[in-house]
Amino acid sequence: QVQLVESGGGMVQPGGSLRLSCAASGRTFSLYSMGWFRQAPGKAREFVAAISRNGGKTFYANSVKGRFTISRDNAKNTVLLQMNSLKPEDTAVYYCAADWVLTIGTVTTTPDDYDYWGQGTQVTVSS
């Protein structure tokens, strides 16, 4: 069982930055690849970024590539999402998710592959 708690959301002007944090419970954090997803009002949940168990592989949605950076610290059971050059279209509730995987280098973009989800944190980009 893994519990995930996101933090760091808020309101920011276009072009600004935010850093989201996801804290995981349990002693098996390193057995999970981690992902960030987001959901805007009236839209489906969409993939944002993912990172492999040891942090050696990352993958990004085209819409955030070059602006967002995902990282993890297995010693602290945390995963971060640094978001720069934010745009109004980045406005959404952001969710952290954990996917139990056997292979260290596995990452997935499919929400149904993830086993545990956080409660979400709101990010609003507006002038």
Side-chain angles (χ1 to χ4, degrees), residues 37-40 44-46 48 63-64 68 89-90 92-94:
F37 291 79
R38 66 188 182 186
Q39 188 167 19
R45 188 168 298 190
E46 66 171 353
V48 175
S63 58
V64 306
F68 290 11
E89 51 263 44
D90 294 318
V93 177
Y94 283 71

Side-chain angles (χ1 to χ4, degrees), residues 1-71:
Q1 186 79 9
V2 175
Q3 292 184 323
L4 305 172
V5 179
E6 302 97 334
S7 61
M11 180 176 289
V12 64
Q13 292 185 341
S17 298
L18 282 174
R19 188 177 74 168
L20 304 184
S21 179
C22 174
S25 65
R27 294 177 290 180
T28 59
F29 181 68
S30 63
L31 298 181
Y32 293 84
S33 67
M34 300 297 295
W36 285 96
F37 291 79
R38 66 188 182 186
Q39 188 167 19
K43 295 187 177 181
R45 188 168 298 190
E46 66 171 353
F47 169 77
V48 175
I51 189 166
S52 60
R53 284 172 47 184
N54 63 353
K57 183 176 181 179
T58 58
F59 192 76
Y60 298 91
N62 287 335
S63 58
V64 306
K65 198 174 296 182
R67 300 188 297 123
F68 290 11
T69 302
I70 188 171
S71 61

Side-chain angles (χ1 to χ4, degrees), residues 102-117:
L102 288 174
T103 306
I104 289 177
T106 299
V107 293
T108 178
T109 66
T110 306
D112 287 347
D113 288 342
Y114 286 81
D115 304 295
Y116 300 100
W117 293 81

